[in-house]
Amino acid sequence: MGKLALALPLILMVTAMGTVLSAASLVTYIFGDSLTEVGNNNYLQYSLAKSNFPYYGIDYNGGQATGRFTNGRTIGDVISEKLGIPSPPPYLSLSQNDAAMLKGVNYASGGAGILNETGLYFIQRLSFDDQIGYFSKTKEVIKAKIGEDAANKLCKEATFFIGIGSNDYVNNFLQPFLADGQQYTHDEFVELLISKLGEQLTGLYQLGARKMVFHGLGPLGCIPSQRVKSKRGQCLEQVNQWMLLFNSRVQKLMTTLNRNLPGAQLTFADTYQAVLDLITHPTAYGFKVSNTSCCNVDTSLGGLCLPNSKLCKNRKEYVFWDAFHPSDAANAVLAERFFSTLFPSSPSPAPLPH
């Protein structure tokens, strides 16, 4: 199986250009890849990007795999808990006119990318374009239920969380046997990504989205699937530099869109330094291991935690669950930081060590 997405998500510092979100804004629509997926790919019969087998979900409520690419909760799950709302369900689990769509939906799909060709070898996955198409259908359902004016108001007040781009590197540009890595220089590739992303965010805006939070990419060069390419198991600095360039270009894109789209409130959530700090200084956050994964996976063959894999003894000591994805414990740390940044008026969690 090809290398499944992704890299660290998430979120940690929202730049000053974005508006701070109110905890009262409880309707959330989530777009992304395996870092935020909650089970859409389970409904795609031929998808190779699935995690619906042991040991995924071993620390989730019920102890069963749900389609989340971690041993427990995603960052989105933790944030929903802190807001006191259910985690939005996967879109493909809902009936076509389900009233649940009024309360939030998760469209994220393992293997998804900004570019439609990203993750092609997974056969089936929902690209960002596919996810936006499903949100368009969702908007029609909402309009049919509550009327156009109320639907527009709901979308205007909802928060749209978007975390995508990791697969465009891990399962596209960084794969030597795929065309994009040979066809484009990195400068050309990032230009292609930003151009496409600008079209996609504008498309969401035209569908009524106003408050959009884009999760920047973390230090992908430090995830276990990339470290194995280093002779001494170190972070790949070239890859990390590309992540920083991508993030800076997305920030500029957000500034441009906020200026050109009336009422737009696009926020860039800069995850890079906080995630790097967690990986570089794991003991400061209560972890012991950050250079390899709890589930002993063969990263040359795919890097997912398979039923015949060996697990570490204490899952709370590892930053990474498999070769790509953070553990439940790491997601909890990242979510705390994200939450206190986005919702500063809420009761503050205990300060994290530095």
Side-chain angles (χ1 to χ4, degrees):
M1 174 166 172
K3 292 196 168 118
L4 198 78
L6 323 297
L8 281 164
L10 312 176
I11 295 177
L12 303 162
M13 272 175 212
V14 177
T15 57
M17 81 172 83
T19 51
V20 170
L21 302 174
S22 162
S25 174
L26 297 182
V27 177
T28 57
Y29 294 100
I30 299 171
F31 302 80
D33 51 34
S34 61
L35 292 168
T36 46
E37 188 188 337
V38 294
N40 276 310
N41 286 12
N42 289 353
Y43 297 87
L44 301 176
Q45 183 178 354
Y46 302 109
S47 177
L48 297 179
K50 291 183 180 179
S51 61
N52 58 341
F53 47 83
Y55 297 98
Y56 289 95
I58 191 171
D59 295 309
Y60 192 74
N61 187 21
Q64 299 297 312
T66 61
R68 289 164 170 82
F69 287 82
T70 180
N71 57 308
R73 301 160 296 171
T74 67
I75 285 187
D77 291 328
V78 179
I79 297 222
S80 293
E81 285 175 16
K82 293 178 74 62
L83 289 173
I85 59 174
S87 196
Y91 174 82
L92 295 180
S93 72
L94 301 173
S95 61
Q96 292 194 341
N97 62 348
D98 200 314
M101 293 183 187
L102 294 160
K103 297 180 180 178
V105 180
N106 186 315
Y107 305 90
S109 171
I114 294 167
L115 303 178
N116 288 318
E117 65 262 30
T118 288
L120 201 59
Y121 46 53
F122 296 129
I123 303 177
Q124 283 184 302
R125 72 272 176 246
L126 306 180
S127 69
F128 192 22
D129 275 350
D130 292 332
Q131 294 176 38
I132 293 168
Y134 281 134
F135 175 71
S136 179
K137 291 185 176 183
T138 300
K139 178 80 180 288
E140 292 304 311
V141 171
I142 295 171
K143 281 201 297 192
K145 287 192 175 297
I146 62 175
E148 187 164 5
D149 289 348
N152 288 337
K153 183 175 187 291
L154 184 150
C155 291
K156 184 178 180 181
E157 294 175 353
T159 302
F160 292 73
F161 288 103
I162 303 154
I164 200 140
S166 297
N167 281 311
D168 293 290
Y169 284 93
V170 175
N171 287 308
N172 189 342
F173 189 73
L174 295 175
Q175 291 290 3
F177 57 87
L178 295 179
D180 283 1
Q182 301 178 32
Q183 184 177 347
Y184 301 108
T185 65
H186 183 259
D187 284 348
E188 292 168 340
F189 186 68
V190 79
E191 201 67 42
L192 180 67
L193 289 178
I194 297 302
S195 173
K196 179 69 173 173
L197 182 61
E199 294 171 8
Q200 291 165 327
L201 296 177
T202 301
L204 273 176
Y205 172 88
Q206 290 168 343
L207 288 168
R210 292 297 179 267
K211 299 175 187 174
M212 294 182 250
V213 179
F214 188 92
H215 310 180
L217 299 186
L220 262 179
C222 294
I223 67 175
S225 76
Q226 297 301 305
R227 280 181 185 260
V228 296
K229 300 177 183 179
S230 159
K231 288 181 180 176
R232 293 192 293 168
Q234 296 176 313
C235 296
L236 303 185
E237 286 308 317
Q238 176 66 81
V239 174
N240 283 348
Q241 289 303 311
W242 286 341
M243 299 306 102
L244 289 168
L245 177 62
F246 173 86
N247 285 345
S248 69
R249 292 297 309 275
V250 174
Q251 283 183 272
K252 289 179 183 175
L253 173 65
M254 301 274 145
T255 301
T256 301
L257 293 176
N258 279 329
R259 191 168 59 233
N260 294 341
L261 301 175
Q265 300 177 49
L266 284 85
T267 301
F268 180 76
D270 191 1
T271 72
Y272 187 93
Q273 290 301 332
V275 175
L276 184 62
D277 193 51
L278 179 59
I279 294 171
T280 309
H281 305 107
T283 55
Y285 300 88
F287 296 92
K288 290 186 177 178
V289 183
S290 63
N291 62 345
T292 188
S293 56
C294 168
C295 185
N296 187 10
V297 295
D298 184 343
T299 49
S300 65
L301 291 178
L304 288 186
C305 181
L306 301 176
N308 62 351
S309 302
K310 292 180 181 177
L311 296 189
C312 62
K313 288 182 179 176
N314 189 342
R315 296 186 286 276
K316 293 185 178 180
E317 294 178 349
Y318 283 70
V319 170
F320 287 96
W321 167 244
D322 62 17
F324 307 96
H325 307 100
S327 65
D328 174 89
N331 281 336
V333 170
L334 296 171
E336 286 281 2
R337 299 188 66 167
F338 179 30
F339 188 86
S340 61
T341 304
L342 283 186
F343 304 104
S345 60
S346 300
S348 301
L352 289 164
H354 293 290

